[in-house]
Amino acid sequence: MPSNLRRTTHECVNFAGQQSTIVTVLCGVPQGSVLGPVLFLLYTADVIAIAQRHGFLVHSYADDTQIYFHDKASSVDTRLPRLKECISEIDRWMSSNRLCLNADKTQFIWLGTRQQLAKVHSHTVELEAATLSVATEVTCLGVIFDKELTFSKHVTSVVRRCFYQMRQLRTVRKSLTTEAAKTVVHALIASRLDYCNSVFYQISAANLQALQSVLNAAARLVMRKRKFDRITATLRDDLHWLPIRQRIMYKICTIVYKCTHGTAPSYLAEMCTPVAANTGRSNLRSATHGDLLVPRTRTMTYGPRSFAVSGPCIWNDLPPTLRASPGTLGQFQNTLKTILFCSAYGT
């Protein structure tokens, strides 16, 4: 920590809701404290400034930082020296502030279509401390990104982990009530299927079916069905679970709702612009309906899958009464689930 942050008072609250005593901390702050994230952001703000000065964009989460850029495949040879210079400056800044840039945990990947990736012939990135091989897949916040953004590797990983948990649950299923089994399945299976599932929008039918097979198997486990029993009626009538495709739409609509109501991060909210806010379109019928602007895309593979396009598209397909509802987030989600439920099962 820098010298001006070394003496800090920390106040915390335990799980019982009682306030603990104030403790004087001589170096840094305890892990998990409310001051930790704030001080960390203040301490590492220069990293983002350095990257932006070199023409790169940055996303940070906790102590993980991603530096990225988008450009044509023909511009790779001119971009890489600038990237090397940027990382070198960040490394020097970290060294001067008693931090370490861990080259062993640093990864680099090219993202694009198969045709564009074939034009890139740089398979290594030279840094001062190490030489990085271009990876075919990287993990960010638990999501596996492959170079063509098919998310096949991530789907395979999710399916494998879910079936592993279900094999463990089968050994104790007889000791659980139906409600207890449903709770455990929600905690260990459904939570994995729903985590960051907005990235699954418009993935291949094979990957979507693989995820649906996990949900079907979980339903059979909860309701004690045999392996090949039909499960659609059980999902609809007994469990009231949305299929995978509708669960993805549910997540995206929830994010858009938060964007339109000012409770989402600014980098997401700025992607959801009402048609009425556009001067040239304020008199259109779509503006009075509360539609969002759908930006044009130059690619058919990735453009429609981005949140900037998928969010407004799905939102505009919702009934105007739901979009204009002044209710709370919980009320919106209840009505949204009913609409998606009827759409999925034709009820």
Side-chain angles (χ1 to χ4, degrees):
M1 285 289 180
S3 57
N4 61 333
L5 297 178
R6 289 193 176 182
R7 292 192 60 85
T8 307
T9 57
H10 169 62
E11 187 175 312
C12 61
V13 178
N14 61 23
F15 290 104
Q18 298 177 350
Q19 183 173 300
S20 63
T21 58
I22 297 177
V23 179
T24 300
V25 183
L26 299 178
C27 184
V29 292
Q31 184 175 2
S33 71
V34 295
L35 286 177
V38 177
L39 295 179
F40 179 81
L41 290 175
L42 292 173
Y43 193 42
T44 60
D46 288 341
V47 174
I48 298 177
I50 292 172
Q52 292 176 342
R53 188 165 61 248
H54 287 272
F56 296 99
L57 302 175
V58 180
H59 275 168
S60 296
Y61 184 84
D63 60 343
D64 291 332
T65 302
Q66 294 86 38
I67 298 177
Y68 64 98
F69 65 92
H70 56 88
D71 211 331
K72 297 179 180 179
S74 57
S75 303
V76 166
D77 293 336
T78 58
R79 277 281 193 168
L80 286 180
R82 294 168 58 186
L83 178 64
K84 179 181 177 180
E85 183 180 350
C86 173
I87 296 179
S88 298
E89 185 174 349
I90 292 175
D91 190 15
R92 291 192 297 270
W93 179 89
M94 287 187 168
S95 298
S96 63
N97 287 274
R98 301 179 183 179
L99 297 175
C100 177
L101 179 63
N102 195 336
D104 294 335
K105 294 184 178 180
T106 303
Q107 296 177 295
F108 187 89
I109 188 173
W110 295 115
L111 301 175
T113 62
R114 186 176 304 175
Q115 294 78 11
Q116 293 298 320
L117 290 173
K119 301 177 183 179
V120 179
H121 303 292
S122 300
H123 302 296
T124 59
V125 179
E126 300 288 340
L127 303 180
E128 289 186 357
T131 299
L132 302 180
S133 298
V134 176
T136 58
E137 59 187 55
V138 296
T139 302
C140 179
L141 301 181
V143 179
I144 302 175
F145 288 76
D146 57 278
K147 59 183 181 180
E148 295 182 28
L149 293 179
T150 63
F151 292 102
S152 296
K153 295 286 186 179
H154 182 61
V155 169
T156 300
S157 175
V158 170
V159 170
R160 182 177 65 252
R161 293 182 181 183
C162 288
F163 276 117
Y164 170 80
Q165 296 294 336
M166 281 189 280
R167 287 194 296 270
Q168 306 305 309
L169 290 176
R170 285 194 184 97
T171 62
V172 298
R173 176 62 185 90
K174 294 181 180 179
S175 304
L176 300 175
T177 64
T178 300
E179 286 302 316
K182 189 186 300 184
T183 300
V184 175
V185 165
H186 274 298
L188 300 179
I189 309 301
S191 61
R192 284 183 165 87
L193 293 175
D194 293 337
Y195 176 70
C196 290
N197 64 343
S198 58
V199 302
F200 294 146
Y201 182 70
Q202 288 192 357
I203 61 172
S204 67
N207 286 330
L208 203 64
Q209 182 56 40
L211 295 171
Q212 185 64 46
S213 68
V214 173
L215 193 67
N216 294 344
R220 293 187 179 98
L221 175 64
V222 171
M223 304 306 296
R224 294 186 177 182
K225 298 288 185 179
R226 293 178 297 180
K227 183 176 180 180
F228 296 105
D229 286 347
R230 293 184 178 274
I231 201 65
T232 302
T234 302
L235 288 169
R236 180 189 62 216
D237 302 329
D238 299 326
L239 296 174
H240 306 288
W241 288 357
L242 290 172
I244 293 297
R245 188 185 301 275
Q246 280 69 31
R247 294 172 88 96
I248 296 170
M249 297 175 65
Y250 179 90
K251 174 66 72 64
I252 295 176
C253 289
T254 300
I255 297 175
V256 175
Y257 176 91
K258 293 180 179 180
C259 291
T260 57
H261 287 74
T263 57
S266 58
Y267 65 87
L268 289 177
E270 64 187 13
M271 299 181 187
C272 300
T273 305
V275 174
N278 189 305
T279 306
R281 302 184 181 183
S282 57
N283 295 325
L284 297 179
R285 185 181 301 176
S286 57
T288 60
H289 289 172
D291 287 1
L292 300 178
L293 287 174
V294 180
R296 296 181 179 179
T297 61
R298 295 189 299 175
T299 61
M300 294 299 296
T301 305
Y302 300 128
R305 292 174 55 189
S306 66
F307 176 74
V309 177
S310 64
C313 282
I314 297 175
W315 180 263
N316 293 344
D317 289 337
L318 296 177
T321 53
L322 174 61
R323 288 180 283 159
S325 175
T328 63
L329 174 61
Q331 294 171 333
F332 170 81
Q333 290 177 323
N334 290 337
T335 306
L336 174 64
K337 182 179 178 180
T338 301
I339 293 173
L340 295 177
F341 194 89
C342 295
S343 173
Y345 297 111
T347 57

